[in-house]
Amino acid sequence: MNDSKNFALVVVAAGRGERAGSPADGPKQYRRIGGKPVIAWTLSRFLEHPGCSDIVVVIHPDDEVLYADATAGLCPDNSIRTVFGGANRQASVRAGLDALRETRPAYVLIHDAVRPFVTREVIDGVLTALDAGHQAALPALAVADTLKRGDAEGNVTETIARAGLFGAQTPQGFDFPSISAAHARAVTQTGMEFTDDCAIAEWAGLTVRLAPGSPVNVKLTTAEDLAMADERLSSSTPPTAALPDVRTGNGYDVHRLVAGTHVTLCGIDIAHDQRLDGHSDADVALHALTDALLATCGAGDIGDHFPPSEPEWRGVASEVFLTHAVEIVRSAGGTIMNADVSLIAEAPKIGPHRQVMRANLARILGISLERCSVKATTNETIGCIGRREGIAAIATATVVFGEPS
């Protein structure tokens, strides 16, 4: 999708929801599902989208307190505007469009407040159609059920072929000037009441492009719909819910020991009668941690970025490798939360150097000391490590990508 154009959003939330149960429970957009009002779930989907630059919510004049309570803390900068709706959905949408006249966005998306499970893919599909030059875009699903027409007595009078039939969803997207003009014309030139905004676009002669809908993008209409949505959100997290993107990466490295004067581990030189042999300084701890960080964003391994066949990396301090991995993670939107390194060696003793190692990791990674762990163990004289032929390291990194919700 081309993100060059931002979009405005009109959320229609002025309805009374007569089919959603007792009026004493309030309009369905303010009922609670999964611990939050329906409208809060809906708005959060669009607030998370980087292209959403302006939001207008159309509410009923009687619902100001309900709306304020439902959205408290949702948008700290108070950038969401509200306007009062009209006698029907069409009039309410027109009020929302009128509120955007001064800013005149390139695109406007119009969405039902009671579709709280709209996905990023559905939104982007609509925007992609608009970016391609279409004046209107409709997310829709092909009708799967057999359709029947019935008479007033409840008898089937006709079976309707479902080929080419689609169920309409929202958000419906439009070139703003085109849909604004179409709504204005519809008020003066027809006595019809349109059931959705693409119907007005069709009447006005705009070509409406179908975009992919989603089975989860359901409209909550009845009390049963609300109960199922609450169960879905309360008992298990739906696949479309906003989840913290927490990723864990692992890394392993081992280098052989040869005669020398010191080993370098976690960037710290430790006096020893051997040294680690390798193309760089052979710091197994930083090599393993570099691989662990790269793993959190699928960026390959240390050998992909610093091939041992290239002479420029001969003898280089491994801090260079780790710093590069940190930059890759951050450029991908990651925040490093924790780093854990386990060293496996018979000698030298790591304990006396553990704190300075942790401090060095914290400096390179740009995180606090308590988020860095360095541990050590021997191999109980077993194998090549136990025979002091080498030192190994295992590292784990935890990174959060994006902003956890």
Side-chain angles (χ1 to χ4, degrees):
M1 188 200 76
N2 182 357
D3 290 327
S4 61
K5 293 183 181 178
N6 293 336
F7 66 90
L9 174 71
V10 172
V11 175
V12 188
R16 299 292 82 198
E18 291 85 355
R19 288 181 285 173
S22 170
D25 295 330
K28 58 191 175 184
Q29 57 268 35
Y30 302 113
R31 309 277 183 90
R32 299 182 79 83
I33 58 172
K36 294 196 304 187
V38 170
I39 194 170
W41 287 104
T42 301
L43 288 171
S44 67
R45 304 291 181 178
F46 291 92
L47 288 169
E48 293 161 3
H49 196 291
C52 189
S53 60
D54 197 0
I55 300 178
V56 176
V57 182
V58 187
I59 65 173
H60 193 279
D62 295 342
D63 293 345
E64 286 188 278
V65 174
L66 282 173
Y67 174 80
D69 289 344
T71 59
L74 187 64
C75 189
D77 62 1
N78 296 316
S79 60
I80 300 178
R81 293 182 282 161
T82 59
V83 297
F84 293 143
N88 54 33
R89 187 186 188 282
Q90 183 178 336
S92 293
V93 171
R94 186 180 172 214
L97 294 174
D98 287 346
L100 295 170
R101 282 182 178 175
E102 290 188 8
T103 55
R104 292 187 64 82
Y107 304 150
V108 61
L109 270 57
I110 302 171
H111 188 64
D112 297 324
V114 289
R115 288 188 187 268
F117 297 117
V118 62
T119 65
R120 173 71 178 269
E121 290 75 17
V122 169
I123 298 169
D124 285 349
V126 171
L127 294 172
T128 296
L130 296 176
D131 277 340
H134 301 287
Q135 293 175 301
L138 170 69
L141 288 178
V143 172
D145 295 329
T146 298
L147 299 176
K148 304 286 184 179
R149 191 185 305 280
D151 61 19
E153 287 75 37
N155 300 312
V156 172
T157 61
E158 181 185 1
T159 298
I160 302 170
R162 62 176 181 246
L165 294 181
F166 294 84
Q169 299 183 342
T170 68
Q172 297 177 8
F174 305 92
D175 167 77
F176 176 76
S178 298
I179 194 62
S180 184
H183 262 276
R185 284 177 52 205
V187 172
T188 60
Q189 297 182 20
T190 178
M192 297 171 57
E193 183 176 331
F194 296 92
T195 57
D196 74 353
D197 302 288
C198 279
I200 293 179
E202 296 164 40
W203 168 82
L206 305 180
T207 300
V208 179
R209 183 74 170 187
L210 290 172
S214 170
V216 302
N217 185 25
V218 294
K219 184 176 181 179
L220 305 184
T221 303
T222 66
E224 290 77 12
D225 293 338
L226 290 164
M228 286 189 290
D230 181 58
E231 182 179 0
R232 175 183 177 186
L233 288 168
S234 300
S235 62
S236 62
T237 305
T240 56
L243 293 173
D245 188 0
V246 181
R247 307 181 197 175
T248 301
N250 295 311
Y252 172 82
D253 193 36
V254 61
H255 279 275
R256 66 185 182 121
L257 287 163
V258 296
T261 59
H262 70 276
V263 294
T264 302
L265 297 169
C266 294
I268 304 301
D269 292 341
I270 302 172
H272 190 50
D273 60 359
Q274 293 176 297
R275 66 174 174 85
L276 287 165
D277 188 32
H279 189 65
S280 62
D281 63 3
D283 187 332
V284 290
L286 296 193
H287 289 189
L289 187 53
T290 297
D291 276 348
L293 285 174
L294 293 173
T296 65
C297 51
D301 61 25
I302 192 171
D304 295 326
H305 298 267
F306 304 97
S309 58
E310 295 184 4
E312 63 181 302
W313 308 122
R314 182 174 297 281
V316 72
S318 295
E319 178 177 335
V320 171
F321 307 154
L322 184 58
T323 299
H324 180 71
V326 170
E327 292 170 352
I328 288 176
V329 166
R330 288 180 178 158
S331 67
T335 300
I336 301 169
M337 304 301 294
N338 188 73
D340 176 47
V341 175
S342 294
L343 292 163
I344 308 164
E346 298 297 320
K349 295 292 184 184
I350 302 301
H353 310 280
R354 180 180 290 112
Q355 291 305 103
V356 68
M357 287 178 172
R358 292 177 62 213
N360 199 43
L361 291 182
R363 175 186 63 82
I364 299 170
L365 300 177
I367 60 177
S368 58
L369 183 65
E370 64 267 21
R371 294 182 181 274
C372 297
S373 170
V374 175
K375 309 186 298 294
T377 186
T378 70
N379 218 40
E380 299 292 341
T381 70
I382 300 170
C384 62
I385 303 296
R387 294 191 298 269
R388 301 194 180 194
E389 295 173 5
I391 293 177
I394 300 170
T396 303
T398 304
V399 179
V400 173
F401 285 82
E403 294 186 2
S405 57

